[in-house]
Amino acid sequence: MQTLPGGSAATNAAGKNRTMQERKLTIKASTLALAVMVTVFLVAVVFAANQNDVIGWLVVIISLGWLLLSAFLVFGISRGAKKVHEQVAGVRADMAKQGGGSTTVVDESTKARDMKLDHSFKIVEVQVGVVKEYLDQDGDEARGMVDRALETIEITAHNARGMMKDGKGSKAGDGEPISGDIVD
């Protein structure tokens, strides 16, 4: 397996600066929108108080509704954005703890080889159980079972060694795979 290096410190600092700038821009825009709604509400109240008619007070009620809706959206979205930011920071921290800040490349051929080796070891474990079961028994049938189990262990071990690589890039096995009957 190989690891790829994570981002540099300069890249991370630039990303943080951009995030801070975006956050300031968002806060300014939401504050401006809320200020406009407060101004509309206050102007409606002043006009309604000066005119003292029903339509003016209906406009005040409508502008108050819009003010409350915009305040709810601004504060709700701000709170939600903070929670999302905290979760992303937590996930990044967890990823940094697990991977050391690097990306792991998974080699599919290594994974397949490891699965084959695991299966080979399971076969050997089963055959060791067969040998233990029939080793103390007398008779041709017991001797035949022990011989077949030992042959299966030998074939499996030879083929498994052939799948493994030594440090020089060549296979550790010494030739072609052995064939025969493998008893599970």
Side-chain angles (χ1 to χ4, degrees), residues 7-22:
S8 66
T11 305
N12 290 339
K16 288 179 183 177
N17 287 339
R18 189 174 344 124
T19 304
M20 292 300 288
Q21 290 171 351
E22 290 171 355

Side-chain angles (χ1 to χ4, degrees), residues 20 22 27 43 52-53 69 88 118 122 126 137 147 160:
M20 292 300 288
E22 290 171 355
I27 290 172
V43 168
N52 201 14
D53 61 351
L69 178 63
V88 167
D118 180 56
K122 288 177 184 175
V126 168
Q137 295 180 9
D147 289 342

